[in-house]
Amino acid sequence: MYSLTVVDHVMIAHSFRGEEFGPAQRLHGATMVVEAEFRAPALDRLNLLVDIAAAKVELRAILDTFDYRNLDAEPQFAGQNTTTEYLCAHIHRLLSQALAEGRLGEGGRAVTGLKVLLKESHIAWAAYEGAPVA
């Protein structure tokens, strides 16, 4: 199995609803390192898994939709607790669309596994992993 990973980061503010979240119910900020790992059992005709430059551009474009923003005020997250796990799945869905539409190169349509990992700190992170969804 081949894999290729691109990395970026995002800075956000948000709050959570629910007593379970304790002080995180108040508005707080986070800087998260974002890793997107693409997997496939074979390379394309150019020996690429995905176009690494296109993957970096696509990840950045997705992150730009909420970077340096208060997620509580963003319509795309209305009614959601924007936990790290939730954001992983959100990014996974958007990268899956990019793969299906061919925006990560010819080989992108053959990707069988996609893992999005967000690191909140050096001691805590979450991920969402699965086949790309169309």
Side-chain angles (χ1 to χ4, degrees):
M1 184 68 65
Y2 294 95
S3 71
L4 180 138
T5 303
V6 294
V7 180
D8 206 326
H9 75 281
V10 65
M11 296 176 71
I12 56 123
H14 61 172
S15 61
F16 298 130
R17 290 175 314 283
E19 289 183 28
E20 301 85 353
F21 290 103
Q25 292 175 85
R26 295 188 299 270
L27 186 64
H28 62 280
T31 300
M32 299 178 181
V33 174
V34 181
E35 296 181 7
E37 180 183 347
F38 305 89
R39 295 187 194 127
L43 302 176
D44 71 10
R45 64 180 178 76
L46 300 173
N47 289 331
L48 294 173
L49 175 63
V50 297
D51 180 323
I52 194 168
K56 289 171 55 176
V57 166
E58 194 62 37
L59 179 59
R60 183 72 250 163
I62 290 167
L63 298 179
D64 281 344
T65 67
F66 60 91
D67 197 11
Y68 287 99
R69 299 200 185 143
N70 177 352
L71 303 188
D72 298 349
E74 292 298 309
Q76 64 182 320
F77 301 122
Q80 299 296 326
N81 275 328
T82 51
T83 62
T84 305
E85 299 90 339
Y86 177 86
L87 291 174
C88 288
H90 174 76
I91 296 166
H92 186 280
R93 280 190 301 277
L94 296 175
L95 284 173
S96 292
Q97 289 173 356
L99 288 166
E101 293 170 8
R103 295 194 310 257
L104 276 69
E106 178 184 316
R109 288 189 174 96
V111 168
T112 57
L114 173 58
K115 179 179 180 180
V116 176
L117 184 139
L118 273 70
K119 292 183 179 179
E120 288 194 52
S121 73
H122 65 288
I123 60 168
W125 55 88
Y128 182 84
E129 182 175 359
V133 293

